[in-house]
């Protein structure tokens, strides 16, 4: 019922500012994902916090002593070589639970819940609008159309939503001992404004722009797989509609999971750089400077700290959200016809 009311009240105004029917439908159905996204965030959000802590420069390394044979000695005695090793996902989880308490696992959840629905709505509406424009310039539904559309939508979404994600990251990086009261979202935002001004809310934005490559890769692979799935399923038109719909749904879930997994592995270093840029009072000032510092001081493997937590969190999330989004678009457009 609420969808019909929104259509009658809002769609005429959307047409007046240049948004087409399909763009409006995409924005509307992405709001349907709010409940789904909220559920996913509540169940796996602690992985987001662990990932952020692993990416941070303040991560406490543990020292491991490896025996090493000292060559060239008569006795052949060995020596012990100390080496710093990054803690794993479960080590960080255990440390947070012991030192900060279970509630700390959900720091930054408020900004995430506030930002997830608008960011999805803005992204999919911009993606649809850009896709219509680029279809008129390039070969319709070609890879270049998907790449340009995804890049344009991600640029606009990152520019608008960066202050919310900045506050979320600061809250997650804050370490408070068990029993002490951490800052809430409003207090954190006020503190950032007092210490750094408006510019403070846009720290890490350059890294987010670099992260557009992840979105481009993800949607390019996803659209290609989706097109391939349609071509494969066309000959099976003799099967009934229910079987075909369920096959399409799980096929889209698989396509979304594969595309997000590939994109995350390729473009993950920008996330580490973005977290470092958002830290308070650190030596990291710019994107290139941060990349060089991390590579020189910690090695190239440091760019992939927290990747496992990212994959566990993002692959199921993206698979469910994108396939559900496609299903809602299909149902809304089918009803509109």
């Amino acid at each position: 019922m609420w969808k019909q009311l929104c259509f009658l009240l809002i769609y005429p105004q959307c047409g007046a500012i240049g948004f087409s029917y399909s763009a409006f439908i995409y924005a509307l159905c992405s709001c349907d994902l709010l409940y789904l996204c909220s559920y996913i965030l509540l169940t796996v959000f602690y992985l987001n916090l662990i990932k952020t802590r692993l990416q941070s420069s303040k991560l406490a390394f543990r020292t491991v002593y490896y025996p090493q044979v000292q060559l060239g000695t008569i006795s052949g005695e060995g020596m012990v070589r100390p080496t710093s090793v990054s803690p794993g996902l479960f080590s960080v989880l255990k440390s947070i639970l012991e030192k900060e308490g279970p509630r700390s696992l959900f720091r930054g959840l408020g900004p995430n819940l506030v930002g997830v629905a608008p960011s999805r709505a803005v992204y999919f509406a911009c993606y649809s609008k850009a896709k219509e424009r680029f279809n008129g310039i390039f070969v319709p539904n070609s890879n270049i159309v998907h790449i340009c559309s995804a890049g344009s939508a991600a640029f606009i979404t990152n520019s608008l939503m960066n202050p919310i994600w900045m506050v979320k990251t600061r809250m997650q990086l804050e370490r408070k001992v068990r029993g002490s009261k951490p800052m809430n979202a409003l207090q954190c935002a006020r503190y950032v404004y007092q210490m750094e001004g408006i510019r403070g809310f846009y720290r890490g934005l350059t890294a987010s722009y670099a992260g557009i490559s992840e979105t481009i890769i993800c949607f390019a692979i996803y659209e290609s797989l989706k097109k391939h799935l349609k071509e494969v399923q066309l000959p099976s038109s003799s099967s009934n509609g229910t079987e075909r719909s369920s096959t399409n749904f799980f096929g889209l879930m698989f396509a979304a999971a594969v595309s997000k997994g590939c994109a995350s592995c390729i473009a993950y270093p920008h996330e580490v750089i973005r977290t470092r840029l958002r830290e308070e009072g650190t030596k990291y000032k710019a994107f290139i400077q941060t990349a060089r510092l991390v590579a020189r001081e910690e090695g190239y493997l440091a760019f992939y700290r927290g990747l496992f937590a990212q994959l566990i969190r993002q692959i199921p999330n993206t698979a469910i959200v994108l396939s559900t989004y496609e299903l809602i678009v299909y149902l809304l457009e089918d009803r509109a016809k």
Side-chain angles (χ1 to χ4, degrees):
M1 180 65 187
W2 71 272
K3 294 188 190 72
Q4 286 84 347
L5 183 61
C6 287
F7 181 85
L8 291 173
L9 294 177
I10 303 173
Y11 179 63
Q13 283 73 24
C14 289
I17 61 174
F19 268 81
S20 64
Y21 171 77
S22 60
F24 172 75
I25 287 294
Y26 289 165
L28 183 60
C29 75
S30 62
C31 292
D32 271 346
L33 296 175
L34 173 61
Y35 300 106
L36 176 64
C37 294
S38 300
Y39 173 75
I40 293 171
L41 281 170
L42 287 169
T43 51
V44 299
F45 183 77
Y46 65 93
L47 290 171
N48 194 334
L49 182 134
I50 293 171
K51 180 203 72 172
T52 304
R53 293 286 180 90
L54 284 167
Q55 293 170 344
S56 172
S57 64
K58 296 180 174 64
L59 179 68
F61 285 80
R62 57 192 177 92
T63 303
V64 177
Y65 295 92
Y66 289 109
Q68 186 178 32
V69 177
Q70 188 173 5
L71 301 177
T73 59
I74 298 175
S75 61
E77 293 179 354
M79 61 178 292
V80 177
R81 177 171 55 88
T83 304
S84 296
V85 178
S86 172
L89 187 152
F90 293 107
S91 299
V92 174
L93 175 61
K94 182 182 177 182
S95 175
I96 293 172
L97 290 174
E98 289 177 351
K99 297 177 181 178
E100 304 175 49
R103 293 185 63 183
S104 296
L105 293 174
F106 295 94
R107 276 193 198 147
L109 180 61
N112 225 332
L113 289 174
V114 169
V116 67
S119 65
R120 299 284 183 184
V122 170
Y123 180 85
F124 284 116
C126 292
Y127 180 77
S128 170
K129 184 65 177 177
K131 196 173 178 180
E132 289 179 2
R133 293 289 178 90
F134 287 121
N135 273 334
I137 300 173
F138 304 108
V139 177
N141 295 318
S142 60
N143 283 335
I144 188 67
V145 170
H146 301 146
I147 289 171
C148 293
S149 302
S152 302
F155 181 86
I156 294 171
T157 305
N158 288 337
S159 301
L160 292 175
M161 305 305 296
N162 196 79
I164 294 177
W165 307 141
M166 165 65 185
V167 171
K168 182 206 75 172
T169 302
R170 278 292 179 87
M171 291 177 70
Q172 290 178 332
L173 291 173
E174 183 186 18
R175 288 172 168 82
K176 291 286 186 179
V177 296
R178 187 189 293 267
S180 61
K181 189 176 181 181
M183 289 189 294
N184 58 36
L186 290 176
Q187 290 171 337
C188 183
R190 191 181 301 117
Y191 179 78
V192 171
Y193 179 74
Q194 289 172 349
M195 299 301 294
E196 305 174 50
I198 294 295
R199 291 184 63 183
F201 291 103
Y202 289 91
R203 291 183 64 173
L205 184 58
T206 51
S208 293
Y209 288 154
I212 292 174
S213 60
E214 179 179 346
T215 305
I216 291 172
I217 295 167
C218 179
F219 268 82
I221 297 174
Y222 175 71
E223 293 284 0
S224 297
L225 290 175
K226 188 169 73 170
K227 184 179 179 181
H228 180 68
L229 284 171
K230 286 181 180 179
E231 291 173 354
V232 169
Q233 290 165 3
L234 277 177
S236 61
S237 56
S238 57
S239 59
N240 62 62
T242 305
E243 290 180 358
R244 205 161 56 243
S245 297
S246 61
T247 305
N248 291 347
F249 183 76
F250 288 110
L252 289 171
M253 285 188 70
F254 175 76
V258 170
S259 59
K260 186 61 179 180
C262 294
S264 295
C265 290
I266 295 170
Y268 184 76
H270 87 273
E271 296 230 5
V272 175
I273 296 172
R274 182 171 60 196
T275 298
R276 300 294 179 94
L277 287 169
R278 288 174 176 173
E279 289 178 347
E280 181 184 2
T282 61
K283 54 191 173 184
Y284 305 110
K285 305 299 180 184
F287 182 84
I288 300 297
Q289 177 252 1
T290 302
R292 287 175 177 170
L293 268 179
V294 173
R296 185 171 65 247
E297 295 178 354
E298 304 172 46
Y300 291 104
L301 285 178
F303 289 111
Y304 288 91
R305 283 187 358 210
L307 176 61
F308 183 59
Q310 172 78 347
L311 293 176
I312 295 175
R313 186 178 70 92
Q314 282 288 3
I315 289 178
N317 184 345
T318 305
I320 295 170
V321 169
L322 272 181
S323 55
T324 306
Y325 169 78
E326 296 281 3
L327 178 64
I328 295 171
V329 168
Y330 170 77
L331 293 174
L332 286 172
E333 290 185 339
D334 187 58
R335 179 167 294 186
K337 291 176 184 177

